[in-house]
Amino acid sequence: MSSSELKNVGLKATLPRIKILEIMQKNRADHMRAEEVYQALREGGEDVGLATVYRVLTQFEDAGLVIRHHFEGGHAVFELNEGHHHDHLVCVKSGKVIEFTDPVIEERQQAIAKKYGFKMTDHTLIIYGVSSEYQDNED
Amino acid sequence: MSSSELKNVGLKATLPRIKILEIMQKNRADHMRAEEVYQALREGGEDVGLATVYRVLTQFEDAGLVIRHHFEGGHAVFELNEGHHHDHLVCVKSGKVIEFTDPVIEERQQAIAKKYGFKMTDHTLIIYGVSSEYQDNED
DNA sequence: ATGTATGCAAAACATTTGCACCTGG
DNA sequence: CCAGGTGCAAATGTTTTGCATACAT
């Protein structure tokens, strides 16, 4: 039950919040836009407004439950924060997203921030490419 | 003169295009928003519309003259494409941007894409942090 | 001249906010 | 019950587009 997770982060367990958290958990593999979460709610028969979806996702972000990303395309995508940091490999043909981490890269990033006198707070690495299934398809 | 650079990429050398390219070249160190380019034009006494700024920057991107980035904040920033790839270190306090490249990271990225069967087309690495001048300021 | 580029205003999106009403603890 | 949460509609900020006019070649 997701209501306890909400209370743990200091949020009242309201129906919209519970449903939105469930949707994010059910779609762990995806990186969803606010609009997509809204659609999922409506398909589930829930009568929640889009404005609430935005408000709740922002609260979830502040609470550390989700992470907001700015990939290409003028809109944000959200994913469940599962604690472990990772980077992204995005297929430019299919939109498929693979998550990975590389200790060498992590370490180099720390070193670079330090070299320039920065205290690193966060970082984003996105590799864009063509996944194997699409490499032979000449569009 | 920037008109020849425009013709080289197949764009007619019109006044708005020339002026916008000059502004991008003059502000090499910055990553400018469309609105900022527009302001710079007006300050230079040029009567160019914001819509044209967007159209021209998009054409420049298609022509490979500039690169469009989506840092945080719901808007795109543009920088002159100087050929050499680099990543970004962004100060979350001041907005200052430092460019860098790290051969170890570059190589690891190639390796990771390969490992997942991807043909890498591009990548973006942004390190967010607090630059030295801001680290002692407790807001 | 003539097809393309531009300016302006309106449209299209993504996201936020004001406010009256509803709901969870 | 009552503070906080929600829905709706309207506001905001960014980027795109339609169309009549202006310009580069």
Side-chain angles (χ1 to χ4, degrees):
Chain A
M1 182 100 292
S2 11
S3 40
S4 46
E5 299 177 51
L6 290 172
K7 297 201 187 113
N8 285 346
V9 297
L11 291 174
K12 230 191 247 184
T14 65
L15 192 134
R17 286 181 185 151
I18 292 170
K19 290 297 173 191
I20 291 172
L21 183 51
E22 283 177 1
I23 285 170
M24 295 304 289
Q25 290 170 334
K26 208 164 291 169
N27 296 275
R28 266 192 167 66
D30 297 334
H31 293 67
M32 307 180 78
R33 308 175 38 170
E35 183 71 37
E36 292 171 326
V37 174
Y38 174 68
Q39 291 304 335
L41 282 166
R42 316 222 93 213
E43 279 161 27
E46 300 299 334
D47 196 5
V48 174
L50 180 56
T52 299
V53 174
Y54 276 105
R55 273 188 291 236
V56 169
L57 286 173
T58 300
Q59 293 158 354
F60 282 7
E61 184 190 18
D62 292 343
L65 290 177
V66 305
I67 298 175
R68 183 195 305 253
H69 293 286
H70 297 274
F71 293 172
E72 324 224 336
H75 58 259
V77 295
F78 299 83
E79 72 168 321
L80 207 57
N81 181 1
E82 314 222 44
H84 60 281
H85 160 79
H86 56 255
D87 295 309
H88 296 96
L89 184 53
V90 179
C91 176
V92 297
K93 295 277 185 183
S94 65
K96 186 168 77 172
V97 178
I98 290 176
E99 302 177 350
F100 71 89
T101 32
D102 185 87
V104 178
I105 290 179
E106 296 297 315
E107 179 214 304
R108 292 299 300 159
Q109 291 183 131
Q110 281 291 356
I112 289 160
K114 191 170 178 182
K115 171 177 163 190
Y116 289 101
F118 275 56
K119 191 183 296 175
M120 183 165 91
T121 55
D122 193 14
H123 58 264
T124 317
L125 167 59
I126 306 167
I127 300 179
Y128 296 97
V130 184
S131 65
S132 47
E133 313 94 79
Y134 285 80
Q135 285 173 26
D136 298 319
N137 302 0
E138 308 300 306
D139 25 320
Chain B
M1 183 99 292
S2 8
S3 41
S4 46
E5 299 178 49
L6 290 171
K7 296 199 187 115
N8 285 345
V9 298
L11 290 174
K12 231 189 248 183
T14 65
L15 192 134
R17 286 179 185 152
I18 292 171
K19 289 300 173 188
I20 291 173
L21 182 52
E22 283 177 1
I23 285 170
M24 296 303 288
Q25 290 171 333
K26 208 164 294 171
N27 296 274
R28 266 191 167 67
D30 297 334
H31 292 67
M32 306 180 79
R33 309 172 38 168
E35 182 71 37
E36 292 171 327
V37 174
Y38 174 68
Q39 290 304 333
L41 282 166
R42 316 223 94 212
E43 280 161 27
E46 299 300 334
D47 197 4
V48 175
L50 180 55
T52 299
V53 174
Y54 276 104
R55 274 188 289 236
V56 169
L57 286 173
T58 300
Q59 293 158 352
F60 282 6
E61 185 189 17
D62 293 344
L65 290 178
V66 305
I67 299 175
R68 183 193 306 252
H69 294 286
H70 296 276
F71 293 171
E72 325 225 334
H75 58 259
V77 293
F78 300 83
E79 70 168 321
L80 205 58
N81 181 1
E82 314 222 45
H84 60 282
H85 160 79
H86 55 255
D87 295 310
H88 295 96
L89 183 54
V90 179
C91 176
V92 296
K93 296 276 185 182
S94 64
K96 185 169 80 175
V97 178
I98 291 175
E99 301 177 350
F100 71 89
T101 34
D102 184 89
V104 178
I105 291 179
E106 296 298 315
E107 178 215 305
R108 291 298 300 158
Q109 291 183 132
Q110 282 290 357
I112 289 160
K114 191 170 180 183
K115 171 177 163 189
Y116 289 100
F118 274 57
K119 190 183 296 175
M120 182 165 90
T121 55
D122 194 13
H123 58 264
T124 317
L125 167 58
I126 307 166
I127 301 179
Y128 295 97
V130 183
S131 65
S132 48
E133 314 94 79
Y134 284 81
Q135 285 173 27
D136 299 318
N137 301 1
E138 308 299 306
D139 25 319

